[in-house]
Amino acid sequence: MMDEYSLQFALARFNLPAVHYLETVGSTNDYAQHLAEAGAADGTLVVAEEQTRGRGRLDRRWLTPAGSALAFSLVLRPSAGEIERLGLFAPLCGVAVCSALRQDYGLEAEVKWPNDVLLGRRKACGVLVEAHWMGSELQNVIAGIGLNVSPASVPPPSEVLFPATCVEDGVGHSVEREHLLAAVLAAFGSWRARLGSPVFFETWENWLAFKGEMVNVESPAGLLSGRLSGVAPDGSLRLRIASGSEQTVSVVDVRLRPVTG
Ligand code: BTN
């Protein structure tokens, strides 16, 4: 059972400026944003046992039933160099989760571009990164990660657009959530230090789900079909389309699906 004490203990080695453990909250991203507005430092962490208004990308809901998942947000204050690579923060979260699941749990986790994490082609983790600006000045970035840990966290098929799974179904035994969180934070720190480096792109691309396969990408501009070839240096997706040419799709408002049947 994760509680404030076990969490603080598992995270002690990170020297985080603050760890806020909440039994229940609307959304950890919103809570972290309030803390950021009040001056919270880079690395401030908000972890909730339960979210009642968890948010996903594109205004979707994200369910976090008590005791079964990891729902957390980090307050980030990007450096000048990182601001130039802001679009890579969401993939960074996906890569960090993937890295932790691979290294610490022996799972063949993959990143569904741009940042979801899949286990056996089912979604186990979603990422919601929100940048807050005041005019042209970046105030902070809130990086929110939701990881399905036990089967109770997996929404019923009728509630999801993409098939879902959880970490425990992947490993076949129960998982201590605070240890998983520690593994993700360690990976996040180590990949953040290499954000946008050749090894970052190489790794992201190596772990990219559906690479070489036909996929559909839905965007406000319409539906695009092509063979997924990799990622571009700005984080957009590279697709080889029917004409043989390569097209890039940027991260805003897109849904990626494998072509089935
Ligand atoms: C998605 O797949 O659409 C993204 C889901 C992101 C969920 C996490 S859970 C912690 C943080 N708080 C939120 O309200 N959302 C993110």
Side-chain angles (χ1 to χ4, degrees), residues 27-29 51 54-57 62 72 116 123 126-127 144-146:
S27 154
T28 55
N29 266 32
Q51 290 188 120
R55 295 185 289 111
R57 282 180 58 225
W62 183 267
F72 62 97
D116 290 344
K123 178 164 166 172
V127 169
I145 299 183

Side-chain angles (χ1 to χ4, degrees), residues 123-142:
K123 178 164 166 172
C125 169
V127 169
L128 180 65
V129 170
E130 297 176 302
H132 297 95
W133 299 82
M134 184 103 72
S136 59
E137 207 171 306
L138 182 70
Q139 301 299 299
N140 63 70
V141 169
I142 306 296

Side-chain angles (χ1 to χ4, degrees), residues 12 40 53 128 133 166 168 187 189 234 243 253:
R53 297 173 71 87
L128 180 65
W133 299 82
C166 63
E168 290 188 352
D234 65 350
S243 64
D253 291 356

Side-chain angles (χ1 to χ4, degrees), residues 48-72:
E49 194 63 38
E50 175 192 48
Q51 290 188 120
T52 54
R53 297 173 71 87
R55 295 185 289 111
R57 282 180 58 225
L58 313 180
D59 273 334
R60 296 195 197 109
R61 284 193 321 143
W62 183 267
L63 294 172
T64 309
S68 63
L70 273 175
F72 62 97

Side-chain angles (χ1 to χ4, degrees), residues 234-256:
D234 65 350
S236 50
L237 183 70
R238 292 188 290 118
L239 281 187
R240 187 155 303 277
I241 54 173
S243 64
S245 67
E246 199 165 79
Q247 188 141 343
T248 56
V249 188
S250 79
V251 150
V252 271
D253 291 356
V254 290
R255 282 172 55 184
L256 181 146

Side-chain angles (χ1 to χ4, degrees), residues 184-259:
V184 172
L185 292 178
F188 183 91
S190 113
W191 284 109
R192 182 179 182 184
R194 294 173 286 174
L195 190 67
S197 66
V199 67
F200 176 84
F201 282 108
E202 214 171 277
T203 307
W204 182 15
E205 216 162 60
N206 273 341
W207 295 345
L208 213 49
F210 315 120
K211 204 165 60 198
E213 296 179 32
M214 289 299 292
V215 296
N216 287 332
V217 179
E218 288 171 39
S219 78
L223 180 73
L224 198 66
S225 296
R227 203 168 288 283
L228 194 156
S229 41
V231 288
D234 65 350
S236 50
L237 183 70
R238 292 188 290 118
L239 281 187
R240 187 155 303 277
I241 54 173
S243 64
S245 67
E246 199 165 79
Q247 188 141 343
T248 56
V249 188
S250 79
V251 150
V252 271
D253 291 356
V254 290
R255 282 172 55 184
L256 181 146
R257 296 281 177 281
V259 175

Side-chain angles (χ1 to χ4, degrees), residues 59-106:
D59 273 334
R60 296 195 197 109
R61 284 193 321 143
W62 183 267
L63 294 172
T64 309
S68 63
L70 273 175
F72 62 97
S73 302
L74 280 167
V75 174
L76 303 175
R77 301 207 177 265
S79 66
E82 288 177 332
I83 291 176
E84 285 170 23
R85 306 187 172 98
L86 220 48
L88 296 181
F89 271 98
L92 163 65
C93 295
V95 166
V97 170
C98 223
S99 178
L101 293 173
R102 283 174 170 261
Q103 273 190 16
D104 294 61
Y105 295 88

